Amino acid sequence: MRHSRLQECVYCPSTANLTDEHAPAKLIFPEPRPSDLITVKACLDCNQAGSKDAEYFRLCLCLNPLAKDMPSVVALKPTVQRSLQRPQAQRFKNRLLQALEPDHGRIAFTVEMGRIHTVIKRTVQCLYLHETGEKLPDTHEVRVASLEVLAQLGPEKAQEFRRDFIEPLAQQALKLVADNQFAYSVIHTSRKFVSVWGLIFYGILPFVAFTGRKVRMLQSSNPGCE
């Protein structure tokens, strides 16, 4: 595994009870897991705080029609089924059943995109530390653009987004993890802590994310300061 040397939680200032936080979460990789997974340090509380969202993310990856036949996903399904059979998973199963609804003769699954984006944000936060050796400061955040978000853009905005972000990311060398089960590319801009990320899961499910100043701080600061 590739580790960051920073002996402090990637999410908070704590230096106590540090654990390995995987980027992305290790449970999305079927066992036996490869040896090149990326890790940084996170305190036990912060690490555990993301575990339920990570399980939900894995479930959504397995249910995604684009990925359901990928070898990694097929290998993961027995693990996902066992996790759903645990007694403590009953509340999760109830919410899952509520998310299922008929759609033109089929059953559609309504995804909680907020939870998906939370996982991507945590992943990028860890990758930023892994890549640069620096944590994102409290003044900055990660924002996510998934396919569902991009689909809501009009044709002109979508073309602009592709020109400004997708095409430059596509020109960057992909960094492959776990035999291409996960890959990412990044553009670090001239502004401190401002970057653009492309993440691909199982070679087929993409996300684009950005690191930058928190929106509320930009709105309250002098426009000439950024």
Side-chain angles (χ1 to χ4, degrees), residues 8-137:
E8 179 180 297
C9 178
V10 64
Y11 305 115
C12 77
S14 177
T15 57
N17 298 320
L18 295 181
T19 61
D20 283 340
E21 172 77 308
H22 292 77
K26 68 179 180 180
L27 55 71
I28 73 165
F29 303 105
E31 295 181 344
R33 296 190 176 104
S35 60
D36 64 340
L37 301 184
I38 296 170
T39 64
V40 297
K41 292 301 180 183
C43 69
L44 184 60
D45 287 344
C46 287
N47 196 328
Q48 291 180 340
S51 60
K52 290 185 178 179
D53 285 333
E55 284 196 51
Y56 181 78
F57 183 78
R58 178 180 64 182
L59 174 65
C60 291
L61 291 179
C62 290
L63 292 176
N64 190 299
L66 294 176
K68 64 182 180 67
D69 295 324
M70 301 297 290
S72 298
V73 173
V74 172
L76 271 175
K77 286 181 178 179
T79 301
V80 173
Q81 291 169 352
R82 286 194 299 271
S83 70
L84 291 174
Q85 292 169 358
R86 296 176 300 172
Q88 57 267 40
Q90 188 58 50
R91 179 183 296 182
F92 177 77
K93 286 191 289 186
N94 291 340
R95 293 183 63 182
L96 178 61
L97 290 173
Q98 292 171 3
L100 298 175
E101 55 187 27
D103 179 25
H104 298 91
R106 299 180 301 172
I107 298 297
F109 176 61
T110 302
V111 176
E112 298 178 48
M113 290 307 301
R115 300 185 70 180
I116 300 298
H117 287 189
T118 294
V119 173
I120 299 299
K121 289 176 183 179
R122 288 171 64 95
T123 300
V124 169
Q125 200 167 344
C126 293
L127 290 175
Y128 189 93
L129 172 59
H130 170 75
E131 282 277 321
T132 68
E134 295 184 273
K135 289 170 54 175
L136 280 178

Side-chain angles (χ1 to χ4, degrees), residues 174-225:
L174 272 178
K175 301 185 180 185
L176 306 180
V177 178
D179 193 25
N180 201 22
Q181 294 178 76
F182 173 69
Y184 70 95
S185 59
V186 58
I187 298 173
H188 293 286
T189 72
S190 58
R191 293 194 217 175
K192 188 74 169 176
F193 304 119
V194 177
S195 56
V196 185
W197 298 77
L199 281 61
I200 303 177
F201 295 85
Y202 308 137
I204 199 168
L205 299 175
F207 292 86
V208 177
F210 308 85
T211 64
R213 289 286 294 273
K214 289 182 177 178
V215 173
R216 63 179 178 273
M217 297 193 67
L218 285 175
Q219 291 171 343
S220 62
S221 65
N222 188 319
C225 292

